């Protein structure tokens, strides 16, 4: 990844020579344990894992918790070390973070913003969490990111795909490793044009919250730019479980492509309903009817079963990747749990390691030290190739995977195949791109 691809604020920090020759601010002293929220005073440090244990994204949340527990095990010197062995930074030694044993508390976001904020607030105020991470809903992620900014702790976002998380709702104390709606559209559109042509009529069903809105905006813009016509855009409540009433109108709309801007249980149910209505067997406008799922996951594919065969989408990571980092993570996770990890698991494991590494390099848990260590940080070995945490918006930039449901899976886990690895250069955008405009990163808040 050439540095010329990126605009950045401040100095690029690489995993090989972090901080070399730089003046060290006073808060980067390891002895500095005052002046910020929940500064650890004993031999342990507490992290807060806030995930959907109930609600439509509960499957993702369960896998996130597994990965968090694995990350803590590795940070404390247990297991085989996982991606600590392949990470380009060699700061983490398996002795916790800055010599403190890592402990954790958990919360249930219920896939609801208010519940997520309440559980994060409790972990910060009652449990002394110095960092909050998690979420499988962008509405939740944005709400908790805002809370963490106010409270003076770092938020390492889990699975959040809305453009707004690092767009109009970005915050200095928040960081996102996961990709976003714009990147999915930029990766998918050329593949869809090659497969289905440039003369198509698309009908969107969209989860009615920040992620769905920005995913719909992104994929509609990208497909319209290549000649597709958008027939209709219909919003569906996040709590929906039966999408029959939304699928029926598609049949008489003149559309020959259905775009499901749904995730988790929503996508499993809406795709199942679409297949039950015979959409996949229809010919419209002289073309085979197609379904597209812009944001995919193995857990969704498992839930939808045979209905995913041949359906294209994008994903942040997949367990079949053969780079050393991915293989190390799949081995560790599989040994502990007996099956391969999801992209949600991979993302939160990476975020935990990136936080720990940033604290180690900064020499402090002070949020402002963490921010300085992560902004403009370029790293490798965590399963996505070379990756940059851009300083301007705290968004990671890396390759994006286009996948499709396998026609002949060999197991219940072998459901998706990677059809294209889209290079970073194709999915990157300027920090002030219109889809990401509004709001300001602001300054880090160390809290107390």
């Amino acid at each position: 990844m050439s540095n010329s691809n990126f605009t950045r604020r401040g100095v690029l920090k690489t995993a090989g020579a972090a901080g070399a020759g730089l003046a060290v601010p006073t808060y980067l002293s390891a002895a500095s344990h005052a002046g910020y929220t929940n500064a650890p005073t004993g031999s342990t440090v507490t992290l807060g894992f806030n995930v959907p244990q109930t609600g439509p994204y509960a499957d993702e949340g369960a896998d996130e918790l597994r990965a968090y527990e694995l990350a803590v095990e590795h940070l404390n010197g247990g297991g085989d070390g996982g991606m600590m062995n392949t990470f380009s930074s060699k700061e983490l030694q398996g002795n916790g973070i800055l010599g403190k044993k890592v402990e954790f508390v958990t919360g249930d976001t219920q896939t609801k913003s208010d519940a997520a904020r309440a559980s994060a607030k409790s972990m910060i105020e009652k449990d002394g969490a110095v960092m909050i991470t998690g979420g499988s809903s962008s509405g939740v992620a944005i709400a908790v990111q805002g809370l963490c900014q106010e409270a003076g702790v770092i938020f390492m976002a889990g699975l959040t795909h809305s453009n707004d998380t690092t767009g109009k709702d970005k915050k200095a104390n928040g960081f996102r490793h996961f990709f976003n709606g714009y990147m999915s559209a930029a990766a998918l559109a050329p593949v869809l044009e090659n497969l289905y042509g440039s003369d198509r009529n698309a009908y969107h069903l969209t989860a009615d919250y920040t992620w769905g809105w920005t995913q719909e905006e992104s994929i509609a813009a990208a497909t319209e730019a290549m000649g597709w016509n958008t027939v209709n855009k219909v919003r569906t409540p996040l709590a929906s479980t039966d999408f029959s009433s939304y699928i029926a109108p598609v049949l008489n709309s003149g559309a020959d492509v259905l775009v499901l801007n749904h995730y988790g249980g929503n996508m499993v149910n809406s795709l199942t309903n679409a297949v039950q209505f015979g959409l996949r067997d229809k010919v419209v406008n002289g073309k085979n009817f197609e379904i597209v799922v812009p944001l995919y996951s193995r857990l969704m594919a498992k839930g939808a079963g045979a209905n995913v065969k041949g359906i294209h989408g994008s994903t942040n990571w997949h367990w079949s990747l053969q780079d050393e980092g991915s293989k190390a993570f799949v081995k560790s996770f599989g040994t502990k749990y007996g099956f391969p990890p999801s992209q949600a698991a991979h993302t939160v494991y990476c975020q935990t390691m990136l936080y720990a590494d940033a604290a180690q390099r900064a020499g402090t848990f002070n949020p402002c030290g963490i921010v300085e260590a992560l902004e403009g940080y370029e790293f490798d070995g965590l399963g996505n190739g070379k990756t940059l945490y851009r300083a301007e918006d705290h968004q990671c930039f890396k390759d994006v995977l286009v996948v499709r449901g396998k026609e002949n899976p060999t197991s219940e886990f072998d459901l998706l195949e990677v059809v294209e690895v889209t290079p970073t250069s194709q999915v990157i955008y300027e920090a002030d791109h219109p889809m990401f405009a509004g709001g300001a990163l602001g300054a880090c808040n160390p809290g107390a």
Side-chain angles (χ1 to χ4, degrees):
M1 182 185 301
S2 70
N3 292 349
S4 62
N5 284 342
F6 304 107
T7 55
R8 51 173 65 80
R9 188 179 70 229
V11 179
L12 170 69
K13 307 166 187 71
T14 66
L22 298 177
V24 180
T26 54
Y27 60 71
L28 295 189
S29 164
S32 174
H33 285 302
Y36 62 95
T37 299
N38 292 338
T41 54
S43 60
T44 64
V45 60
T46 301
L47 308 182
F49 301 152
N50 203 25
V51 305
Q53 299 180 51
T54 55
Y57 296 168
D59 285 349
E60 311 286 336
D63 226 33
E64 288 180 338
L65 274 185
R66 294 181 190 107
Y68 281 132
E69 292 183 17
L70 182 63
V72 169
E73 182 179 306
H74 290 164
L75 287 171
N76 288 332
D80 61 7
M83 287 197 288
M84 279 171 48
N85 300 314
T86 60
F87 189 13
S88 52
S89 175
K90 302 303 176 188
E91 295 290 329
L92 299 171
Q93 302 299 316
N95 61 344
I97 308 174
L98 294 176
K100 296 182 183 295
K101 183 181 179 182
V102 181
E103 297 186 340
F104 66 91
V105 291
T106 65
D108 180 10
T109 69
Q110 303 173 42
T111 323
K112 297 176 181 176
S113 297
D114 288 347
R117 280 181 66 98
S119 59
K121 191 170 189 286
S122 176
M123 288 190 281
I124 294 167
E125 295 180 355
K126 295 181 181 178
D127 301 309
V130 73
M131 181 269 275
I132 301 294
T133 176
S136 286
S137 152
S138 290
V140 161
I142 288 167
V144 175
Q145 180 168 260
L147 174 80
C148 290
Q149 181 68 37
E150 297 160 10
V153 301
I154 291 293
F155 176 62
M156 299 296 283
L159 198 158
T160 168
H161 192 242
S162 170
N163 293 342
D164 292 345
T165 309
T166 46
K168 71 179 183 64
D169 294 307
K170 59 184 175 285
K171 294 287 187 284
N173 282 40
F175 290 85
R176 171 163 60 181
H177 177 269
F178 206 65
F179 67 149
N180 58 46
Y182 176 94
M183 295 179 186
S184 283
L188 266 175
V191 175
L192 296 178
E193 182 177 21
N194 184 53
L195 286 169
Y196 307 138
S198 57
D199 180 23
R200 283 284 185 165
N201 293 303
Y203 192 111
H204 289 253
L205 288 182
T206 300
D208 193 12
Y209 74 106
T210 178
W211 167 66
W213 306 333
T214 66
Q215 177 61 85
E216 176 191 272
E217 178 188 27
S218 299
I219 197 76
T223 52
E224 286 169 9
M226 67 192 194
W228 286 24
N229 173 50
T230 301
V231 174
N232 204 356
K233 298 175 179 177
V234 177
R235 305 286 169 82
T236 63
L238 185 58
S240 297
T241 55
D242 185 347
F243 293 85
S244 300
S245 63
Y246 297 101
I247 299 293
V250 179
L251 294 166
N252 301 312
S253 67
D256 46 45
V257 176
L258 173 62
V259 181
L260 292 177
N261 299 302
H262 288 157
Y263 195 74
N266 281 174
M267 173 270 183
V268 170
N269 292 326
S270 62
L271 178 60
T272 299
N273 289 154
V275 172
Q276 288 170 342
F277 271 80
L279 285 183
R280 298 204 67 183
D281 301 321
K282 289 184 70 66
V283 174
V284 180
N285 306 324
K287 304 177 182 71
N288 290 334
F289 195 98
E290 304 292 350
I291 300 175
V292 177
V293 178
L295 180 59
Y296 233 146
S297 80
R298 177 184 64 76
L299 296 175
M300 288 157 57
K302 182 179 179 183
N307 295 333
V308 302
K309 291 183 178 183
I311 289 182
H312 286 74
S314 68
T315 190
N316 191 65
W317 176 85
H318 193 257
W319 67 268
S320 66
L321 293 173
Q322 291 301 300
D323 61 277
E324 293 306 309
S326 293
K327 288 194 292 185
F329 180 55
V330 171
K331 179 175 180 288
S332 289
F333 192 97
T335 298
K336 187 174 179 69
Y337 299 112
F339 49 84
S342 64
Q343 66 171 351
H346 171 261
T347 295
V348 301
Y349 180 96
C350 289
Q351 284 287 70
T352 308
M353 290 299 167
L354 286 163
Y355 172 83
D357 175 71
Q360 200 75 29
R361 289 185 292 111
T364 183
F365 293 102
N366 187 313
C368 294
I370 304 296
V371 169
E372 183 168 300
L374 283 175
E375 284 189 341
Y377 185 51
E378 199 166 32
F379 58 91
D380 204 346
L382 294 185
N384 289 110
K386 287 186 177 179
T387 304
L388 170 75
Y389 246 131
R390 186 162 67 180
E392 287 86 350
D393 50 12
H394 296 183
Q395 172 66 54
C396 270
F397 288 96
K398 54 193 182 299
D399 297 343
V400 170
L401 306 180
V402 176
V403 296
R404 70 174 165 232
K406 266 196 169 182
E407 293 290 350
N408 298 296
T410 58
S411 74
E412 63 177 310
F413 307 110
D414 181 39
L415 302 177
L416 299 176
E417 58 186 341
V418 178
V419 297
E420 183 171 296
V421 178
T422 307
T424 309
S425 58
Q426 187 177 315
V427 301
I428 198 167
Y429 52 87
E430 295 299 321
D432 61 353
H433 186 283
M435 287 188 189
F436 297 83
L441 194 64
C444 75
N445 176 23

